[in-house]
């Protein structure tokens, strides 16, 4: 066997290996993201609604979330920046009653937890987000980065 034949055989095998590898990589890329546990938490004192949901990675690999956008009837909706607070009762003359430790309410379950930026979600892991919105979302678009960025459009039902 001469040298040219040997080089051609090696080149053909290398090219075949590269093609097979690229096909396997394209097949392997199956992102399985779902939204679950959609619920509305009411801040009755301030008459605001907090929309909370969990993003679950059901893929066999970690997933990089690059954006989460919420939509209501086709239009994008945004957090209204509400921050729950304490409203002290007023006296009849309009002045505020002195606040004591018994009048402070726990607001830890009422704080919004918006998507803040690129987040890696491991296989089987869940991340919870919440937003104060003026109208309920009916769709969430999650942008993930795999080989390239792609949008995953999910219908949601807040009860």
């Amino acid at each position: 066997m001469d040298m040219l034949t040997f080089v051609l055989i090696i080149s053909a095998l290398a090219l075949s290996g590269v093609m097979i590898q690229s096909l396997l990589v394209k097949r392997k890329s199956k992102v399985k993201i779902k939204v679950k546990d959609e619920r509305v938490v009411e801040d009755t004192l301030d008459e605001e609604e907090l929309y909370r949901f969990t993003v679950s990675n059901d893929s066999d690999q970690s997933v990089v979330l690059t954006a989460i956008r919420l939509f209501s009837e086709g239009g994008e909706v945004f957090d209204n920046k509400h921050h729950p607070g304490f409203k002290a009762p007023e006296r009849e003359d309009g002045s505020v009653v002195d606040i004591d430790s018994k009048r402070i309410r726990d607001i830890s379950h009422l704080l919004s937890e918006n998507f803040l930026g690129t987040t890696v979600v491991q296989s089987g892991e869940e991340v919870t987000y919440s937003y104060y919105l003026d109208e309920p979302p009916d769709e969430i678009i999650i942008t993930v980065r795999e080989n390239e960025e792609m949008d995953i459009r999910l219908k949601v039902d807040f009860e």
Side-chain angles (χ1 to χ4, degrees):
M1 174 182 316
D2 65 356
M3 188 62 133
L4 180 59
T5 306
F6 182 72
V7 169
L8 286 174
I9 291 173
I10 297 295
S11 298
L13 289 173
L15 181 60
S16 298
V18 168
M19 290 173 54
I20 290 171
Q21 182 65 25
S22 66
L23 288 174
L24 290 176
V25 167
K26 285 186 179 181
R27 272 194 201 164
K28 183 180 162 190
S29 61
K30 292 286 186 182
V31 174
K32 296 176 189 168
I33 295 285
K34 71 178 181 182
V35 172
K36 64 182 199 175
D37 300 333
E38 306 100 84
R39 61 191 177 282
V40 179
V41 179
E42 292 186 40
D43 181 355
T44 54
L45 193 59
D46 293 332
E47 297 178 359
E48 292 281 347
E49 292 181 328
L50 180 68
Y51 294 86
R52 181 172 284 142
F53 58 92
T54 300
V55 175
S56 176
N57 178 9
D58 293 344
S59 307
D60 294 333
Q61 60 197 28
S62 60
V63 174
V64 179
L65 308 180
T66 59
I68 293 180
R69 298 179 303 156
L70 292 82
F71 291 85
S72 179
E73 297 179 10
E76 190 167 2
V77 291
F78 300 94
D79 190 285
N80 67 16
K81 306 298 181 199
H82 169 68
H83 183 76
F86 174 78
K87 290 184 179 177
E90 294 182 3
R91 292 185 181 161
E92 288 181 17
D93 63 2
S95 63
V96 177
V97 174
D98 294 330
I99 299 172
D100 63 23
S101 62
K102 294 178 185 171
R103 300 211 191 267
I104 296 175
R105 70 178 178 141
D106 177 18
I107 61 169
S108 60
H109 68 289
L110 294 173
L111 298 175
S112 63
E113 300 172 34
N114 294 189
F115 178 80
L116 297 177
T118 302
T119 304
V120 177
V121 184
Q122 299 298 325
S123 177
E125 189 178 44
E126 300 177 344
V127 183
T128 300
Y129 297 103
S130 56
Y131 296 80
Y132 277 103
L133 303 170
D134 295 327
E135 53 190 298
D138 53 22
E139 184 176 59
I140 296 175
I141 296 178
I142 301 174
T143 304
V144 298
R145 182 175 48 220
E146 197 177 11
N147 294 333
E148 59 187 37
E149 285 198 341
M150 60 188 239
D151 289 337
I152 299 174
R153 191 175 296 263
L154 302 165
K155 294 290 183 190
V156 290
D157 183 26
F158 286 88
E159 300 173 3

